[in-house]
């Protein structure tokens, strides 16, 4: 069964344009927040490249059930300028999180208490340390992906106003509603995945 789309000039067309513009601006604002967040994350990753390598000794290492995922909780000690510190941060995020229990268990086996491994500490604040140093390449890739959202939002907001206004235009296009729903769903799925994996949400978990 086909869909019949009728476009008319007047208040109906204006209302439709306003709705699409509002929808687009919403995504543009949300997208800009992601860009800002990932830009700050990239700056932090670049700064971490200057952190100083040191030896760390694992104190504790356990796997915790974090609901839908599994989290690695660990503590390790290290010495800087003859002063000893205790830290619990694994990588860019505080905890290493995996969906598979087997994956996280494999990491746990590699970090038994008493084992000495490489780590990094902030030379400006030796109490701040990390085991897995993030790479600039992955941070840049994530930043590049976030530009999709404000771009899509701007397109949704501007395209309706660029179309020529015709008094009456009726046509049948069975694929148009499905294509819109697929695009709409895909955008929400990507936004949702970024929200779940964002540093803010990870910190709360």
């Amino acid at each position: 069964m086909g869909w019949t789309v009728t476009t008319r000039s007047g208040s109906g067309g204006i209302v439709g344009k306003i709705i699409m513009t509002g929808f687009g601006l919403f995504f543009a604002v949300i997208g800009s927040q992601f860009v800002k967040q990932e830009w700050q994350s990239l700056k932090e990753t670049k700064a971490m490249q200057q952190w100083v390598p040191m030896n760390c000794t694992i104190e504790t290492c356990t796997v915790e059930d974090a609901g839908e995922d599994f989290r690695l909780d660990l503590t390790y000690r290290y010495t800087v300028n003859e002063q000893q510190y205790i830290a619990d941060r694994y990588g860019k995020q505080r905890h290493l999180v995996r969906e598979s229990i087997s994956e996280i268990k494999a990491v746990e086996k590699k970090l038994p208490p008493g084992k000495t491994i490489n780590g990094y500490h902030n030379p400006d604040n030796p109490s701040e340390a990390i085991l897995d140093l993030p790479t600039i390449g992955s941070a840049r890739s994530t930043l590049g992906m976030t530009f999709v959202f404000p771009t899509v939002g701007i397109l949704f907001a501007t395209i309706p106003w660029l179309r020529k206004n015709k008094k009456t235009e009726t046509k049948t296009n069975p694929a148009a509603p499905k294509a819109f729903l697929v695009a709409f769903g895909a955008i929400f799925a990507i936004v949702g995945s970024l929200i779940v994996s964002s540093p803010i949400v990870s910190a709360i978990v």
Side-chain angles (χ1 to χ4, degrees), residues 93-202:
Q93 308 306 321
R94 180 180 177 186
H95 299 290
L96 176 67
V97 177
R98 291 289 184 269
E99 294 182 359
S100 170
I101 182 66
S102 59
E103 291 183 19
I104 203 88
K105 281 289 187 180
V107 178
E108 181 189 23
K109 289 181 180 179
K110 295 179 180 179
L111 301 172
K115 182 177 181 178
T116 300
I117 61 173
N118 294 327
Y120 305 86
H121 74 269
N122 185 348
D124 298 325
N125 182 14
S127 64
E128 191 175 5
I130 194 173
L131 294 183
D132 185 29
L133 195 67
T135 63
I136 295 178
S138 61
R140 284 176 175 169
S141 298
T142 304
L143 175 63
M145 290 177 59
T146 59
F147 277 100
V148 172
F149 303 110
T151 301
V152 170
I154 292 172
L155 288 176
F156 267 102
T158 57
I159 285 178
W161 302 96
L162 298 178
R163 295 175 180 172
K164 293 183 179 180
N165 207 4
K166 296 182 179 180
K167 291 184 177 181
T168 304
E169 179 183 347
T170 303
K171 61 181 180 179
T172 300
N173 188 354
K178 294 181 180 179
F180 175 79
L181 290 175
V182 170
F184 185 83
I187 292 172
F188 263 95
I190 297 173
V191 170
S193 65
L194 278 183
I195 291 176
V196 170
S197 61
S198 68
I200 297 176
V201 174
S202 300

